[in-house]
Amino acid sequence: MSDLFRTAVVTGAGRGFGRAIAAALVATGTGVVGIARNKQELRAVQDELGEGFIPVCADATDEVLAQDVIREHRPGLLVLNAGATPHMAPVHEQTWESFSRNWQADTRHVFTWIRAVLLEPLTPGSVVISMSSGAALASSPLSGGYASAKAAVRYIRGYAADEAQRAGLGIRFHTLLPNMTPTGGVGSVAIDGYAARQGVDRDTFVAGREQPILTPDQVAKAVMEVVQDPGSHAEYRLSGTGLHPIG
């Protein structure tokens, strides 16, 4: 990794995709500021990764947090991975609070950090990767506002890329849309919900999905590929077979 990426920020770093991404970055010598709400999970990641991982137990939607972390650590890479587990139920069994859960977490935190990136701004050549979801392409009728919240992440990336270009900031913005997978916390909950809806067991449902199944390590590998390639596409669908450009 180049000197520009000697420091990275990863939100949702306590488990799943975020933890795997943090581990891959630390393995290359990049220092990672890992943000999550669960102190015990962050401590476990720090115990595993050592001094290269700086845990920050906080709410990733906090605007002051985003500003302070960017100013203090001056990251060359930002991976916006944090998000809430959706309430799995059809629309008529949702409340507005449950339906909007992912707007208040996933979308809001991407908006918060990207806004801070543009206002600061980051150093030219810096990279911001926002994690959307394959649900933004295929919909997700059992997860409330999850699919639309993840679709909004794509729009925010596009708006940010346009503003960065207009201002000559030289910052790259990318979005990854991972397939639903039982190896991720959100995906595991979704698989249980959709398997029950179809009247099949979990293993049968997973066997009917696109193979091979996406793993956290593959997500981390994909992030590294995008970061290291200045010619990367703006958006990719991400499956167990790798990155697939969108558009």
Side-chain angles (χ1 to χ4, degrees):
M1 297 281 277
S2 74
D3 288 344
L4 177 62
F5 304 121
R6 64 181 179 274
T7 302
V9 171
V10 179
T11 65
R15 58 185 173 178
F17 294 165
R19 182 171 183 160
I21 293 165
L25 288 166
V26 170
T28 68
T30 298
V32 174
V33 180
I35 299 169
R37 291 185 179 187
N38 191 304
K39 184 179 293 186
Q40 290 183 330
E41 289 179 348
L42 282 174
R43 186 178 295 119
V45 179
Q46 185 181 36
D47 289 343
E48 175 189 348
L49 301 183
E51 295 180 355
F53 182 83
I54 301 173
V56 177
C57 185
D59 182 348
T61 67
D62 187 328
E63 293 182 7
V64 175
L65 169 75
Q67 294 166 1
D68 288 349
V69 167
I70 287 173
R71 288 172 181 169
E72 178 180 353
H73 295 281
R74 301 303 303 169
L77 170 63
L78 204 56
V79 183
L80 302 176
N81 168 75
T85 301
H87 176 62
M88 298 299 295
V91 65
H92 62 289
E93 295 178 11
Q94 299 271 354
T95 64
W96 175 246
E97 287 70 24
S98 67
F99 186 89
S100 63
R101 180 180 297 173
N102 296 99
W103 281 91
Q104 298 299 333
D106 307 47
T107 312
R108 182 176 179 180
H109 111 279
V110 168
F111 168 81
T112 295
W113 285 86
I114 282 182
R115 179 173 181 268
V117 163
L118 293 173
L119 288 174
E120 186 57 25
L122 291 185
T123 303
S126 296
V127 177
V128 180
I129 297 179
S130 303
M131 302 300 291
S132 178
S133 168
L137 300 174
S139 85
S140 182
L142 282 188
S143 60
Y146 179 78
S148 57
K150 291 300 192 180
V153 167
R154 299 179 66 196
Y155 284 115
I156 293 170
R157 183 219 63 80
Y159 301 156
D162 182 58
E163 294 303 325
Q165 183 177 29
R166 287 167 59 87
L169 299 181
I171 302 171
R172 288 198 280 132
F173 292 87
H174 302 276
T175 305
L176 301 185
L177 291 79
N179 280 1
M180 181 167 59
T181 170
T183 64
V186 171
S188 183
V189 170
I191 283 169
D192 286 340
Y194 283 106
R197 185 179 178 91
Q198 294 181 11
V200 300
D201 61 41
R202 179 185 174 91
D203 290 343
T204 300
F205 181 84
V206 171
R209 300 286 298 170
E210 180 180 347
Q211 302 293 327
I213 294 298
L214 180 65
T215 68
D217 286 343
Q218 289 173 316
V219 174
K221 180 175 181 289
V223 167
M224 301 296 287
E225 289 178 6
V226 171
V227 171
Q228 295 176 3
D229 180 7
S232 293
H233 289 261
E235 295 187 308
Y236 292 92
R237 184 177 69 84
L238 179 55
S239 73
T241 58
L243 291 164
H244 307 274
I246 298 173

